[in-house]
Amino acid sequence: MSRLTDLIAQTKSKDPALGLELEREFKVLSSRRSFGLNFERHVPESVELPGKPVRKGDKVRILSPKGSTAKADQRLWKVLKLETIEGEKIAHVELPDTPAIERQEVAVANLVVLAEFKDYIYPGLVSTGKVHRGGEKPFHTVISGENFHALEMLTYTHRGKIDVIYIDPPYNSRAKDWKYNNDYVDPDDDYRHSKWLAMMERRLKLAGELLHPERGVLIATIDDKELHRLGLLLEQVFQDSDLQMITTIISAKGALRAGKFSRVEEHIFVVSRGKPQITPWFRNMLDPVVGDGADTAALEWLGLRRREPSSKRGARPNQFYPIFVHANDGSLHSVGAALEDDVDRHSVQVPKDAVALWPLKPDGSEMLWGLTPDVLRRNWAKGYARVNSWNKDEARGTVQYLPGGTISDIENGSIQITGRRRDGSVIGVVAVDEEAPPPKRVWNLPSHNAEAGGTNLLSKLIPGRSFPYPKSLHAVEDCLRFFIEKNEDAIVLDYFSGSGTTAHAVMRINRLYGGRRQCISITNNEVSAEEAAKYRQKGLRPGDAEWEKSGICDYITKPRIAAAITGKTPEGKPVEGDYKFTDEFPMADGFEENAEFFTLTYETPVAVSHNRAFERIAPLLWMRAGSEGGRILKIPPQGWEVADSYGLLIDLDKASAFCRAIKPASKFRIAYIVTDDERRFQSVARRLPEKVEPIRLYESYLTNFRFSMGR
């Protein structure tokens, strides 16, 4: 080893850049484990940034000519200077760290800026739209960008604040399902497993910094191709945490593989930090539930028509009356008044498009309902009555109700309401308690079928748009429920968000249990390999409008989340179909939720420190304060401004007015103070209300990304 150290020192004296690279690789090799999971870390990843302006000093790649599908020059060039020649912007570029100097003059239009993961980045966000239906609830956020850099961004806004991270990473399935250094990993690449592990390790280490230290949970799904390697990697990255693995059935019919067993399952790793509590559910996730259907709860509904011979019409007052239901779906229209014994029921006027149901025996004999009209109206309003088995063609159905004892158990908490059907009637189960069965580690639920709960459901939200292998909405919902059902302010992160299933699941949990849980979704805006080849033949490149509109985030993720909230497809039509299983209601109802969409940007530290990048930094300040309420969008001309959950002080001479404007409301969290003077910062900080956190700008931002990334 000492001989290698001497040789590296000699190399550094002659070629400093090469010497540093050799020294870095030497440290990696010398620190390798003698046991456990060993793999090549490879050259740190890089990402192309189409659309980012080319600046002096940038690293760039020279693109292939338009219309060509040939692989671009993979070498990295450095921009020495920029000039305009005959109306065209030209860059003078040089190939760095090479013995022979090589330079070119290239049109800026044929360059793309490149960021290497070993470099420091200074991120910002640009809003690209929002959906607002949730009043004062926090916003779910969707970030389009390289997930490694977006995770670094979150170390400033959410370090130690994330309750659950749910990821469905690429499975390394030998298909073109993921990239390393801007290129799809070849199925025959001898290093495809180590590249996958290197890619995952970098992101998992950042994820560890984001998880709450006392109750943080990371959930990662995987199939058999990288199952064992991922398990070892998780053990090495999260050494202080508990690791469990769940096997879940996603397709009972199985995926046929010639000469092999048919795969019906996937696997779910659960990494628990601290002491997170699993909230038992009414299911143990393996055994079927006995009740009203294979996947619904067992409430005992009784028929409303009395059946005993003594309950003929006239035996009791006020219990012979019409129940009007909508003819198309059997839902309640209204409850009519009780008839006197001598009034012919045929004389009652039926509302338009409705049908009158009477307590009649099959032979037509007039009987009594089991409740008076007033009691039925009150119970129906609460979801304690319904029409079951509605036959539209025959205008026939069975009126059912919950008995008084069941209603009492619901209202005192002995029975837990888990959802409602489309007609508003309740779905309930016996409340979980110490006797509730713990969830098992093999899951077999019809609701987790990837085709029905994933592909088919997605096609209703965004018709005509396809996404490969979306997760079942209900499968993700069930994973999250165990950890966030009782935490109404939980923050969930998905940095391989794909079609946006995780955010959708969090919204369903909010509706089911109440609360203000929020989800941060991160995805890129890449197109498939086939689409990329087609667009290149047309002379398009990443960054062109036609190319970008077909990317994952713009074409799938954002429209899916918007459709889920609004209940309308991208074409403005109501989403067809109903949600099923634990909470049944029309998808067209949408959710009372808020969401905002962002694109990740790359700033310079000089622009940040001189307030020239404030509009891109502003969303980060808002996210750190909880992603709720109003946002300070521009530098306030009066020197300070206060929003709902945070405030910004630019002119420290206005500190008194700023401190007076801060209301002692519970959701005001942070005061951002812009100053280079630590003494003046502390002077203002001492005047703030006790529960308000003072943060110095831009020192806290620049320090976080300059020194805290561990690179």
Side-chain angles (χ1 to χ4, degrees), residues 303-314:
L304 186 63
R305 177 174 65 82
R306 300 187 71 108
R307 297 177 179 274
E308 61 273 18
S310 60
S311 294
K312 293 183 178 180
R313 180 182 179 183

Side-chain angles (χ1 to χ4, degrees), residues 5 10 16-17 51 88 113 200 263 331 384 389 435 444 450-451 460 529 544 553 560-561 573 592 660 670 674 680:
T5 303
Q10 293 175 26
E88 185 176 25
V113 178
M200 290 293 295
R263 185 175 70 88
S331 60
Y384 302 153
S389 302
E435 302 299 322
N444 186 17
E451 182 178 6
K460 295 177 180 178
D544 293 338
C553 190
R560 185 255 181 87
I561 292 175
K573 298 179 180 179
E592 294 181 356
R660 285 195 301 269
I670 297 175
V674 181
R680 296 194 70 189

Side-chain angles (χ1 to χ4, degrees), residues 22 29 78 132 178 193 236 270 306 382 549 551 593 657:
L22 289 172
L29 289 171
K78 184 177 181 179
H132 193 174
W178 70 288
H193 295 297
Q236 291 180 183
V270 179
R306 300 187 71 108
K382 295 180 179 181
K549 73 179 183 181
E593 299 284 343

Side-chain angles (χ1 to χ4, degrees), residues 52 55 58 122-123 602-610 612-613 616 701-702:
K52 184 180 185 298
R55 300 188 180 100
D58 280 346
Y122 300 89
Y602 295 79
E603 308 301 325
T604 65
V606 172
V608 171
S609 60
H610 288 80
R612 296 202 303 269
R616 274 95 62 199
Y701 172 93
L702 295 172

Side-chain angles (χ1 to χ4, degrees), residues 687-703:
R687 299 163 65 181
L688 295 171
E690 183 179 351
K691 293 184 179 180
V692 175
E693 177 188 5
I695 294 178
R696 182 177 154 199
L697 289 181
Y698 291 94
E699 185 270 345
S700 65
Y701 172 93
L702 295 172
T703 299

Side-chain angles (χ1 to χ4, degrees), residues 255-271:
L256 298 179
R257 299 186 292 182
K260 298 181 180 180
F261 295 108
S262 176
R263 185 175 70 88
V264 300
E265 84 290 352
E266 283 186 345
H267 307 280
I268 305 170
F269 282 111
V270 179
V271 180

Side-chain angles (χ1 to χ4, degrees), residues 12 50 56 63 99 105 219 294 397-398 407 410 436 451 539 606 654:
K12 288 173 69 176
K56 179 182 176 181
L63 298 171
E105 294 181 12
I219 302 169
T398 302
I407 293 174
I410 290 173
E451 182 178 6
V606 172
K654 305 291 181 62

Side-chain angles (χ1 to χ4, degrees), residues 158-165 207-217 272-274 487:
H158 286 80
R159 188 185 294 271
K161 296 180 181 179
I162 302 295
D163 296 291
V164 177
I165 295 176
E209 296 189 34
L210 300 176
L211 280 175
H212 194 289
E214 297 175 0
R215 59 172 185 266
V217 174
S272 303
R273 177 174 287 178
N487 184 356

